[in-house]
Amino acid sequence: MPRRIRLRKVVAPPIFKGYKPYGAHVESKEHIELLYEEYEAIKLADYDLMKHKEASELMGVSRPTFARIYEAARRKIANALVEAKEIKTVYGNAWLEKDWFVCIECNSRFTIPKTISNHNCPLCSSKNIESINKH
Amino acid sequence: MSKIVITSSGNTVKSDFDLRFGRAAWFCIFDDETKETKFYENEHINANHGAGTQVAEKMLELKVTKAISGDFGPKAKELLDKFNVQMVIVQEETTVESIINKLITK
Ligand SMILES: [Zn+2]
């Protein structure tokens, strides 16, 4: 079966590759992997102090999905703090590229190479498209 | 004239759309002008690495100008982007035929 992946919009990727604990009595060799979208969920909810509904809309996911990502993020960070583990940020299912567009009608995502003058949706021809990096 | 590749799980238009690019089972090349389809089996499906790049190269060889799949790996993306191949991501369980119908009826 073809694999199914959901891509989440990430508004601003983290500006670090990871965090390392220091001065730990027992250094953990393990690390946790914080996905970009998890970082984003924490940022929107706890740094930008957005309501979950708003944050989920910004990330282009449903509220329950947002809650799940947010919960996973908090648990990972708590685990890293308590067990003195390194945090690494990894790409996950985030959507970061520039110059990608989404069709509001059929939900396809696409690039528009400079050789193409037609800026309609390449699948359904709708003119109702928007840049993914608009926010 | 425009050649469009649609990733497919089999070798007919009735086949399910394959959401993978580098590791798609088959590739359906649809000619926008003649409305003809041709199927190519993915020779790189079991490559340990670099399947995305090799498939992207194959598509460039076939003079594809548009690629429709469920996902593109970073290497494939980079290459297709460089050669101005339009990438279209559809994350829907569908068939090759229904994608072609969308392309035709537009
Ligand atoms: Zn569309």
Side-chain angles (χ1 to χ4, degrees), chain A residues 51-119:
Chain A
K51 298 250 182 297
H52 284 195
K53 186 172 177 291
E54 248 182 302
S56 63
E57 280 164 10
L58 196 58
M59 285 177 71
V61 296
S62 70
R63 249 198 88 162
T65 302
F66 177 82
R68 200 171 42 71
I69 296 171
Y70 177 65
E71 192 60 34
R74 292 180 67 133
R75 287 185 185 195
K76 282 184 182 179
I77 291 172
N79 183 280
L81 285 178
V82 173
E83 297 184 20
K85 286 180 185 166
E86 185 179 342
I87 300 174
K88 287 183 181 167
T89 52
V90 297
Y91 190 76
N93 299 313
W95 191 264
L96 286 172
E97 284 89 343
K98 287 190 182 93
D99 309 320
W100 279 81
F101 297 84
V102 61
C103 171
I104 307 302
E105 302 295 325
C106 75
N107 212 27
S108 70
R109 295 156 197 261
F110 54 92
T111 57
I112 302 182
K114 53 185 180 295
T115 43
I116 292 183
S117 52
N118 174 355
H119 284 194

Side-chain angles (χ1 to χ4, degrees), chain B residues 49-69:
Chain B
H49 47 81
T53 308
Q54 290 173 54
V55 166
E57 277 167 0
K58 168 99 178 166
M59 296 307 134
L60 293 171
E61 229 170 78
L62 293 170
K63 306 238 179 307
V64 158
T65 56
K66 193 187 288 190
I68 305 177
S69 190

Side-chain angles (χ1 to χ4, degrees), chain A residues 10-16 36-37 39-40 43 89 91 94-96 133:
Chain A
V10 162
V11 181
I15 55 169
F16 55 86
Y36 277 16
E37 60 263 40
Y39 159 85
E40 176 92 340
K43 175 184 174 287
T89 52
Y91 190 76
W95 191 264
L96 286 172
N133 306 75

Side-chain angles (χ1 to χ4, degrees), chain B:
Chain B
M1 191 207 78
S2 153
K3 274 191 182 175
I4 302 164
V5 61
I6 302 161
T7 46
S8 171
S9 58
N11 61 352
T12 74
V13 292
K14 302 278 179 206
S15 308
D16 284 336
F17 174 55
D18 199 321
L19 291 167
R20 302 159 303 180
F21 181 70
R23 295 187 191 280
W26 289 80
F27 300 102
C28 170
I29 309 285
F30 173 67
D31 188 318
D32 191 317
E33 204 156 274
T34 62
K35 314 291 179 218
E36 273 169 27
T37 54
K38 255 191 201 151
F39 285 82
Y40 296 85
E41 198 166 4
N42 187 359
E43 302 155 12
H44 308 291
I45 194 163
N46 292 320
N48 285 330
H49 47 81
T53 308
Q54 290 173 54
V55 166
E57 277 167 0
K58 168 99 178 166
M59 296 307 134
L60 293 171
E61 229 170 78
L62 293 170
K63 306 238 179 307
V64 158
T65 56
K66 193 187 288 190
I68 305 177
S69 190
D71 189 30
F72 298 91
K75 291 272 170 60
K77 241 178 221 171
E78 202 184 310
L79 201 58
L80 295 173
D81 200 47
K82 191 170 154 196
F83 288 91
N84 296 314
V85 175
Q86 182 172 41
M87 286 171 272
V88 185
I89 291 186
V90 178
Q91 294 211 316
E92 214 177 278
E93 274 157 44
T94 179
T95 61
V96 172
E97 191 172 41
S98 92
I99 289 183
I100 290 175
N101 285 340
K102 273 189 193 157
L103 293 170
I104 292 174
T105 54
K106 72 178 189 185

